Amino acid sequence: MQTLYKYMPLSTLLKFMDDPCLRVTPSYCQNDPFEFGYSQNDINKLKSINSNEDIGNALREYSNLHGIISLSESKDEVLMWSHYSTNHTGVVVELLIDGSNPQSLFINSTDLHAEAFEHSDFLFNSVNYSPERGYKTFSTTTDIDFVKKHYYFTKAEQWKYEQEHRFITPLTWINRIVFNDKGYEMASNILEHYLQGIICLDSNVTEEKKQYELKSGYLEMILATDAKLIAKLWEKSNANDIMFFIRLNQKYIGNIYLGCKSDTSKLIDALKGDNDAPFSINTKYYDLLTGKGRKIFKGVIDNNLYKLNFQEFLFNLYN
């Protein structure tokens, strides 16, 4: 079993506690413009040694219909805490990966006890860091899958501190879609026959801050009968307008590590909240009988080194 970590803001963790899922980012929405950049030079080389004239299109189609979930080997990388956990005010969630069955991290439907995905249309690997972009070992026996993996798992060496591992997941794995106000307008045009399936998550906030969600039953129905509509949403997604998620198998969710500047009172308030939500993992982090916390740690700045240490975060919900 491999241990990896997901950095996130505290506000994201509070939502994660109610419904543990990870966002899947389309390949064209990455913050690094070099990501998945098949150069025309590489595609020309592939065509010269491969009888498939559409090989470039095949690479791009795969890229367009798959998304990325990024995890890290490290829970105490200072730059990661600054960049992805809101300047140490956020958190890191521990995730356990079964090396022989890595897709078991996810559940394949809205059913909490559903089996893991069975099909193999996904990739999982650690990222290789390099000063050069191109795939170098073209030959007459070059398999397109090797080229695919190179581009999905190669980043500029400046990103090495992230110690990244990635899932490259197909669009069909999605089991949650959330829209902001702008995304809802786009979805209204695409899902015009399914608008009754879109609900507002919080009607008490201002219009521009409202979030909407496509009900899970409708999402499953559309994926089964008219998946092209979800693909159209995928193509329109940008920034936070339309966000796609895959739910996690709760048995593979481990410890929570709070940043050295995290507001612990917000987490405690959340743990006291609604534990009856169908996917809530709140009770995983305290003892129901005593109210004592468990599996939560708090970052502490080392006295001498540029380093974070983690100490068990002690609290009692019933006091």
Side-chain angles (χ1 to χ4, degrees), residues 130-168:
S130 171
E132 298 181 12
R133 294 170 56 194
Y135 184 79
K136 292 185 176 182
T137 55
F138 292 107
S139 73
T140 54
T141 58
T142 295
D143 188 322
I144 190 173
D145 284 340
F146 289 116
V147 182
K148 235 188 275 183
K149 288 179 182 178
H150 170 82
Y151 283 102
Y152 275 115
F153 297 102
T154 301
K155 292 184 72 170
E157 58 186 3
Q158 289 90 334
W159 295 99
K160 193 171 183 178
Y161 73 93
E162 292 187 337
Q163 303 174 68
E164 185 178 354
H165 292 241
R166 288 180 164 174
F167 281 95
I168 310 298

Side-chain angles (χ1 to χ4, degrees), residues 179 183-192 195 198 233 242:
F179 316 91
Y184 175 73
E185 290 183 21
M186 290 189 282
S188 296
N189 294 323
I190 295 171
L191 303 178
E192 55 182 337
L195 289 183
I198 301 178
L233 286 179
I242 305 175

